[in-house]
Amino acid sequence: MEIQTSQKHCIITPLSPKLDAYQASRLREEIKNYSNLSIGIDLSFAEDCTIEFIESFKTFGAGVFNIPSDIFSLFNIMSLDKSAALYVTEEDFLNDKHRLLNRKFSIV
């Protein structure tokens, strides 16, 4: 796990290609250590995630960026865009702009 901190932000990058319950517990501990900063999770190395990771992800309260398309589709299906801030790039996270939202429009 790689951790980069600045005055306002902490960016955590899990280096494991598979995100599971163990990785979720490690992330939770690191988030507790940096609770006074704005936390961002970089998923650029992630290739797969388990349901345990997704369920525990709801409680992280962190922004997420560089999300692979497979994992992003899972996040949308499970409506995680409503409980977590999803961004395309690190720059979007740092500026708190261009959040990814699934609006689920319907024609009436």
Side-chain angles (χ1 to χ4, degrees), residues 1-6 8-14 27 30-31 34 37-44 62-66 89-91 93-94:
M1 192 169 300
E2 181 181 325
I3 301 172
Q4 300 173 1
T5 59
S6 67
K8 297 179 183 178
H9 304 284
C10 174
I11 297 174
I12 302 172
T13 306
L27 274 172
E30 291 300 330
I31 289 172
Y34 297 101
L37 300 174
S38 174
I39 306 291
I41 300 173
D42 182 1
L43 295 182
S44 58
V64 183
F65 54 90
N66 291 337
T89 63
E90 181 178 349
E91 185 73 25
F93 166 72
L94 294 175

Side-chain angles (χ1 to χ4, degrees), residues 63-74:
V64 183
F65 54 90
N66 291 337
I67 308 167
S69 60
D70 297 341
I71 297 174
F72 180 66
S73 62
L74 288 174

Side-chain angles (χ1 to χ4, degrees), residues 6-98:
S6 67
Q7 294 176 353
K8 297 179 183 178
H9 304 284
C10 174
I11 297 174
I12 302 172
T13 306
L15 300 176
S16 173
K18 184 171 183 174
L19 302 174
D20 54 7
Y22 175 71
Q23 292 293 328
S25 66
R26 288 184 62 201
L27 274 172
R28 191 176 302 111
E29 291 301 317
E30 291 300 330
I31 289 172
K32 286 180 187 176
N33 293 337
Y34 297 101
S35 62
N36 57 338
L37 300 174
S38 174
I39 306 291
I41 300 173
D42 182 1
L43 295 182
S44 58
F45 291 106
E47 296 174 2
D48 189 22
C49 66
T50 63
I51 190 69
E52 292 86 10
F53 179 81
I54 293 174
E55 288 297 323
S56 63
F57 179 78
K58 294 177 183 179
T59 63
F60 285 165
V64 183
F65 54 90
N66 291 337
I67 308 167
S69 60
D70 297 341
I71 297 174
F72 180 66
S73 62
L74 288 174
F75 285 178
N76 277 336
I77 290 170
M78 298 183 77
S79 297
L80 287 181
D81 58 327
K82 307 299 185 246
S83 61
L86 306 178
Y87 300 95
V88 176
T89 63
E90 181 178 349
E91 185 73 25
D92 292 341
F93 166 72
L94 294 175
N95 294 327
D96 194 25
K97 294 185 179 186
H98 307 290

